[in-house]
Amino acid sequence: MLKQLGDILGLTRKEAQDVHIKFAEKAFVQQAEVILADGKLTEAKADQLAKIQKQVGLPTEHAQKIIKGITTTKLSSAIEASVARGQIGIQQVRGLKEANFQLDSLIAEPQRESIYRKTVEELFSSGTGDFDEEEMYVKIPADLIISSEKAKSIVQDIAKVRLENSLVQAIALLRQKKRDDVLSSLNDMLACDAAVPASRPLSWPTPGELDDLFAIYLKSIPKPEKLSRLQYLLGISNEKANEMQYAASEGSLPVAAEEKEELAF
């Protein structure tokens, strides 16, 4: 019928074929949308779509393009919802890249930046005390297709806030006698400082508690460079730091908060 219509309208063979493909695509899309409503292409669905493709006379390459477009759109919606719920992290993103998905077509830039922000926040609450500039400013931004400048801006915004918050948290944990958690908070503080070095020591109204923090960290046998940086951040003088290090080597370094508890008992 299309051939007869083409003859009547004086269409060339190619023009008639283009018209046929256009109608075939429309018919195929309508049925494919229903079959792929959940975004999953199973073997049974692929067989069903292949039969429909033959019925409407649609070339294979056109059918594959339509199927990919539908599944990609569905997957993109599912991923965006997962990002909003905080369920997508850098490891999942790297998995999508390894599966040859085009990340910029699946996840919008604001969502990719949100994933990066989440990654930074997790690093600054991991308790490791480490900040890898190449990982955070080069590798992860490349994976998420965001600029290094944007990555640095996000890190700086978070680190500045988290630095002081980590001190407050460490003091709170000190008062609760949670030594291991105190160490984690101090390491988080050092990670923030490694990302954005503080220009001056942090302030706290009760210096004795800062001494206790330093004493607890000193007892954990940390790396010298981390201990030195913590000394600066807590505003501990060299004289006092040396005295505390000597006391620690002699096994007689007290923590005032713990001593008070023992006296009260």
Side-chain angles (χ1 to χ4, degrees):
M1 290 176 66
L2 282 172
K3 184 179 183 304
Q4 291 176 356
L5 180 61
D7 293 339
I8 293 171
L9 296 175
L11 299 176
T12 65
R13 183 176 178 180
K14 183 180 182 305
E15 289 172 334
Q17 186 180 24
D18 289 342
V19 171
H20 169 73
I21 290 176
K22 183 177 179 181
F23 279 98
E25 283 182 344
K26 185 175 181 180
F28 186 78
V29 166
Q30 288 175 340
Q31 297 186 65
E33 286 277 8
V34 175
I35 294 170
L36 298 171
D38 61 357
K40 298 177 181 178
L41 180 61
T42 63
E43 186 175 350
K45 290 179 180 180
D47 291 340
Q48 188 178 357
L49 289 168
K51 291 177 182 178
I52 296 172
Q53 174 196 334
K54 291 179 180 178
Q55 289 173 0
V56 300
L58 185 66
T60 300
E61 61 270 20
H62 287 258
Q64 292 299 322
K65 184 177 180 181
I66 290 170
I67 292 170
K68 183 178 180 181
I70 293 172
T71 54
T72 299
T73 299
K74 299 290 185 182
L75 179 60
S76 178
S77 298
I79 288 175
E80 285 191 7
S82 295
V83 171
R85 293 193 296 267
Q87 297 174 336
I88 297 290
I90 188 59
Q91 296 305 322
Q92 288 78 14
V93 167
R94 285 171 170 166
L96 289 169
K97 287 191 67 179
E98 288 175 3
N100 295 319
F101 283 100
Q102 295 295 321
L103 194 65
D104 53 350
S105 65
L106 283 176
I107 308 175
E109 186 174 358
Q111 280 72 43
R112 298 200 303 274
E113 290 178 2
S114 176
I115 293 172
Y116 184 78
R117 183 175 293 275
K118 177 189 174 188
T119 303
V120 175
E121 290 174 343
E122 288 175 347
L123 172 67
F124 289 152
S125 59
S126 64
T128 63
D130 298 323
F131 182 81
D132 187 333
E133 288 194 5
E134 184 178 2
E135 180 74 6
M136 299 306 298
Y137 291 152
V138 179
K139 293 181 179 179
I140 295 180
D143 288 333
L144 290 169
I145 318 176
I146 63 175
S147 69
S148 180
E149 290 73 21
K150 184 64 180 180
K152 289 180 180 179
S153 174
I154 291 173
V155 167
Q156 289 174 0
D157 289 344
I158 296 174
K160 289 176 182 177
V161 174
R162 283 295 186 96
L163 181 67
E164 294 188 2
N165 287 351
S166 294
L167 175 60
V168 174
Q169 185 176 33
I171 293 292
L173 292 167
L174 173 71
R175 293 172 179 176
Q176 296 173 48
K177 313 300 183 293
K178 295 182 178 179
R179 182 185 292 259
D180 290 342
D181 293 334
V182 168
L183 288 173
S184 292
S185 291
L186 292 175
N187 275 326
D188 291 339
M189 187 165 67
L190 287 169
C192 292
D193 179 68
V196 183
S199 58
R200 61 180 182 275
L202 301 174
S203 60
W204 190 254
T206 50
E209 288 182 311
L210 298 181
D211 293 347
D212 282 351
L213 292 181
F214 187 74
I216 288 174
Y217 201 75
L218 178 58
K219 287 182 177 181
S220 71
I221 314 178
K223 293 180 179 179
E225 60 271 20
K226 286 188 176 182
L227 183 64
S228 175
R229 191 58 190 172
L230 183 66
Q231 177 190 336
Y232 171 79
L233 291 173
L234 298 179
I236 307 294
S237 67
N238 288 333
E239 182 181 358
K240 182 178 288 186
N242 290 335
E243 290 175 357
M244 295 173 77
Q245 286 177 316
Y246 177 77
S249 67
E250 296 293 314
S252 59
L253 178 63
V255 175
E258 295 176 355
E259 282 189 328
K260 289 176 183 177
E261 183 183 25
E262 291 174 1
L263 288 172
F265 177 76

